[in-house]
């Protein structure tokens, strides 16, 4: 192996007994030869790939906030030192977009995970462990590509054959001598994402245990959590039959169970995964930093508090809904104005909680939506799934018996907004269903956006486009 040198964010461990995914990591200059000389080094690199997902430019802020602040779930509770302000104000340009760091960070993550996929097979050690390392890395790569295509490209159904611009697909470690990448189509992008996920699923065993020691099964990609992600990818691809089949399989496997109404609020406290969590990014037990929760921290101990719920969102819940303003939100008066802050993320340091990426409740809503869109519609299953999630939130909610596809889809979108608020889904849901953005409780000058508005898609960073003549900028920038 040639001795290329790379900058890797890796978890530095005391390999006396086990490797820990979330130990604090310095950025070390390591050679690929040294890092991947054995399976233990490959595990270190894999742990670094998981840890990178929890950076602020990815799931520890931007990926969870941007879709909700642009689509109308979030407003600011203060006026200075704001994060993602130009997204909220719809005042973006390619030079200073708040999402530029996300673009750079995610492609850096791709390069690191590609090193895992490329060099792990030649490491010394167990063939079974190496296969699982590569499978988990492919699932991570698929997730990163999926996030990039949702942020920087139009949804799959924007053109009849998804031939519109997608993203640059990075499937090998990048060297300075490599040709400059160019954007694939959205169809090609989804094909690559699905290929990675299906190959990972075929490799995983049925134990649903990750190759790294420590943590919980929900902290790693396994056969089940990868299938859950693939079900969501199929939903975004409008592959209704496949989305229904996978969601149905996971639900009926009984590996996960919905939290009860009585335990819903408590399920968002602490760092032990709930029974309905499928994939979440763990926070180490000794974590003492900031995290996503500091932006929602009602006590304002960190001074970062800024993301409050809009009445556009809180007004959707019934008075008795456990997810509603009297139960799932902390309410604070700030300078004479009342604000509500979600309890899904309640602080930093010892209060920091894992970032939930996939939950069983979403799989029920995926199945409900796909049920009425698939070749043979199944309204009974769609209504059952909708009623299950609605009544888990509000036990007194009326029982739905919807008979048209449009009615079910609208009900699913409403329930997804209520159930998955602050989890980074709203904008993408509205765009893939070709719905307009309507915001009322915001101070932004631009409140409403048509579904085809260029500003709903983030610009590629100007320096990326300027440095690469092959890279086409998104329209409007």
């Amino acid at each position: 192996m040639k001795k290329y040198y790379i900058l890797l964010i890796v978890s530095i461990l005391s390999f006396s007994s086990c490797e820990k995914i979330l130990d604090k990591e310095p950025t070390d200059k390591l050679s690929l030869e040294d890092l991947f000389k054995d399976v233990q080094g490959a595990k270190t690199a894999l742990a670094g790939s998981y840890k990178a997902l929890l950076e602020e430019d990815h799931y520890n802020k931007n990926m969870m906030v941007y879709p909700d602040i642009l689509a109308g779930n979030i407003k600011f509770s203060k006026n200075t030192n704001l994060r993602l302000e130009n997204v909220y104000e719809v005042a973006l340009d390619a030079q200073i977009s708040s999402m530029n760091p996300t673009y750079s960070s995610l492609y850096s993550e791709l390069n690191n995970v590609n090193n895992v996929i490329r060099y792990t097979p030649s490491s010394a050690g167990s063939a079974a462990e190496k296969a699982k390392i590569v499978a988990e890395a492919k699932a991570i790569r698929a997730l990163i590509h999926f996030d990039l295509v949702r942020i920087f490209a139009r949804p799959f159904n924007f053109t009849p054959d998804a031939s519109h611009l997608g993203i640059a697909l990075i499937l090998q470690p990048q060297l300075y001598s490599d040709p400059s990448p160019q954007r694939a189509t959205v169809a090609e992008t989804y094909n690559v994402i699905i290929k990675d996920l299906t190959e990972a699923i075929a490799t995983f065993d049925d134990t649903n245990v990750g190759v790294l020691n420590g943590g919980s099964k929900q902290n790693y990609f396994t056969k089940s959590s990868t299938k859950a992600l693939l079900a969501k990818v199929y939903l975004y691809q409008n592959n209704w039959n496949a989305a229904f089949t996978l969601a149905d399989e996971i639900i009926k496997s009984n590996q996960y169970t919905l939290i009860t109404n009585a335990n819903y609020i408590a399920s968002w406290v602490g760092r032990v995964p709930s029974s309905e969590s499928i994939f979440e990014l763990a926070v180490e037990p000794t974590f003492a930093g900031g995290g996503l929760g500091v932006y929602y921290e009602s006590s304002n101990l960190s001074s970062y508090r800024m993301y409050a719920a809009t009445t556009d969102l809180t007004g959707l819940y019934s008075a008795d809904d456990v997810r509603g303003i009297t139960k799932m939100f902390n309410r604070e008066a700030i300078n004479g104005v009342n604000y509500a802050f979600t309890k899904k993320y309640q602080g930093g340091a010892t209060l920091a909680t894992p970032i939930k990426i996939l939950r069983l409740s979403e799989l029920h809503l995926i199945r409900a939506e796909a049920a009425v869109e698939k070749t043979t519609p199944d309204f009974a299953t769609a209504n059952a799934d909708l009623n299950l999630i609605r009544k888990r939130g509000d036990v007194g909610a009326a029982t739905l018996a919807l008979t048209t596809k449009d009615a079910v889809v609208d009900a699913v979108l409403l329930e997804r907004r209520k159930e998955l608020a602050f989890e980074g889904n709203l904008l993408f849901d509205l765009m893939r269903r070709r719905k307009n953005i309507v915001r009322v409780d915001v101070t932004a000058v631009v409140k409403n956006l048509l579904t085809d508005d260029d500003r709903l898609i983030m610009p590629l960073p100007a320096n990326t486009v300027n440095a690469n003549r092959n890279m086409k900028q998104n329209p409007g920038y």
Side-chain angles (χ1 to χ4, degrees):
M1 182 187 298
K2 292 184 179 179
K3 202 162 190 175
Y4 294 120
Y5 285 87
I6 54 172
L7 286 177
L8 270 179
I9 295 178
V10 297
S11 294
I12 299 303
L13 325 162
S14 63
F15 288 121
S16 56
S17 59
C18 65
E19 63 287 329
K20 296 179 181 178
I21 186 174
L22 293 170
D23 279 355
K24 292 182 180 179
E25 74 294 342
T27 300
D28 277 1
K29 188 176 183 182
L30 301 174
S31 74
L32 293 173
E33 181 178 349
D34 292 337
L35 182 60
F36 291 99
K37 67 182 179 182
D38 55 29
V39 73
Q40 202 66 53
K43 287 182 181 181
T44 300
L46 179 65
S49 293
Y50 277 113
K51 183 63 171 67
L53 297 174
L54 202 55
E55 294 299 315
E56 187 168 283
D57 292 333
H58 204 169
Y59 278 104
N60 223 352
K61 180 171 63 64
N62 287 10
M63 194 65 197
M64 302 300 275
V65 176
Y66 137 75
D68 280 43
I69 202 169
L70 182 54
N73 279 350
I74 293 174
K75 63 183 178 182
F76 288 111
S77 62
K78 65 177 190 174
N79 300 316
T80 58
N81 297 321
L82 304 177
R83 306 292 194 274
L84 297 177
E85 182 180 12
N86 55 18
V87 174
Y88 173 80
E89 295 286 354
V90 199
L92 295 153
D93 67 53
Q95 293 282 355
I96 59 170
S97 168
S98 295
M99 296 300 287
N100 281 357
T102 294
Y103 186 92
S104 300
S105 293
L106 268 59
Y107 276 105
S108 177
E109 291 174 30
L110 280 175
N111 204 52
N112 286 345
V113 80
N114 280 334
N115 281 316
V116 177
I117 295 167
R118 169 78 175 272
Y119 296 112
T120 294
S122 61
S123 300
S126 162
E129 284 195 313
K130 290 190 291 183
K132 186 176 280 190
I133 290 169
V134 172
E136 290 187 46
K138 285 185 176 181
I140 294 172
R141 184 169 70 182
L143 176 63
I144 297 169
H145 277 136
F146 186 45
D147 291 343
L148 283 166
V149 77
R150 289 186 293 168
I151 298 170
F152 297 102
R154 283 287 178 182
F156 191 88
N157 61 357
F158 185 67
T159 54
D161 57 357
S163 59
H164 52 291
L165 280 177
I167 58 172
L169 296 167
I170 306 300
L171 302 173
Q172 296 289 338
Q174 295 294 289
L175 302 174
Y176 287 112
S177 59
D178 289 342
S180 297
Q182 58 186 1
R183 298 174 70 172
T185 67
V186 167
E188 291 167 341
T189 301
Y190 272 80
N191 287 341
V192 164
I193 293 168
I194 291 167
K195 182 175 184 290
D196 268 347
L197 293 174
T198 52
E199 287 180 354
I201 290 167
T203 302
F204 284 128
D205 56 37
D206 294 322
T207 62
N208 275 327
V209 176
V211 73
L212 300 176
N213 294 328
S216 304
K217 68 177 183 180
Q218 292 92 339
N219 301 144
Y220 310 102
F221 274 115
T222 62
K223 180 173 284 189
S224 290
S225 56
T226 305
K227 284 182 177 180
L229 177 57
L230 182 54
K232 186 167 184 172
V233 170
Y234 280 141
L235 184 82
Y236 276 64
Q237 193 192 30
N238 290 3
N239 189 340
W240 309 113
N241 290 356
F244 179 91
T245 298
L246 273 181
D248 188 62
E249 177 187 337
I250 295 163
I251 292 167
K252 289 179 177 177
S253 73
N254 296 319
Q255 296 179 66
Y256 312 96
T257 56
L258 287 177
I259 293 293
T260 63
N261 173 282
N263 293 325
Y264 187 82
I265 297 174
S267 73
W268 294 93
V269 179
R271 295 174 180 176
V272 177
S274 74
S275 62
E276 74 173 65
S277 178
I278 298 174
F279 180 62
E280 62 181 56
L281 303 177
V283 178
E284 62 187 336
T286 58
F287 180 78
L292 182 59
V294 300
Y295 297 102
Y296 297 97
E297 188 174 46
S298 60
S299 63
N300 200 30
L301 294 177
S302 68
S303 78
Y304 281 96
R305 179 185 65 190
M306 66 180 69
Y307 295 138
T310 63
T311 56
D312 301 6
L313 171 64
T314 58
L316 299 175
Y317 300 102
S318 65
D320 296 324
D321 198 317
V322 72
R323 303 164 299 180
I325 193 167
T326 62
K327 298 179 176 66
M328 197 59 199
F329 292 84
N330 292 310
R331 290 180 286 178
E332 295 286 338
I334 303 172
N335 298 324
V337 179
N338 293 321
Y339 293 97
F341 299 92
T342 182
K343 293 181 180 179
K344 287 185 174 180
Y345 320 100
Q346 297 189 49
T350 58
L351 293 177
T353 52
I355 307 298
K356 294 174 171 57
I357 308 299
L358 292 164
R359 297 193 287 125
L360 182 62
S361 55
E362 182 171 12
L363 270 291
H364 278 284
L365 295 173
I366 288 174
R367 186 171 71 172
E369 184 176 351
V372 296
E373 293 277 15
K374 66 188 183 76
T375 304
T376 305
D378 182 352
F379 283 88
T381 296
N383 280 297
D385 281 329
L386 271 169
N387 285 320
L388 182 66
I389 303 304
R390 293 175 72 253
K391 289 175 178 287
R392 192 267 293 272
D394 178 0
V395 295
T399 301
L400 296 180
L402 305 174
T403 58
T404 67
K405 181 177 73 174
D406 288 347
V408 170
V409 170
D410 286 344
V412 167
L413 289 178
L414 174 60
E415 207 56 37
R416 285 182 64 89
R417 184 170 188 178
K418 293 192 294 181
E419 177 64 24
L420 304 175
F422 311 105
E423 296 178 55
N425 289 280
L426 180 58
L427 176 65
F428 305 135
D429 283 339
L430 294 176
M431 288 177 60
R432 66 183 178 80
R433 297 304 318 200
R434 302 192 67 78
K435 303 287 187 180
N436 298 329
I437 305 299
V438 178
R439 303 188 297 175
V440 177
D441 183 26
V442 295
T443 58
V445 174
V446 177
K447 292 179 169 59
N448 304 329
L449 294 160
L450 298 178
T451 188
D452 291 338
D453 195 301
D454 290 336
R455 293 169 292 182
L456 291 179
I457 307 302
M458 296 297 99
L460 273 58
N463 58 3
T464 296
V465 177
N466 293 339
N468 179 4
R469 67 179 63 185
N470 295 328
M471 195 65 67
K472 294 182 180 179
Q473 180 61 273
N474 282 324
Y477 298 104

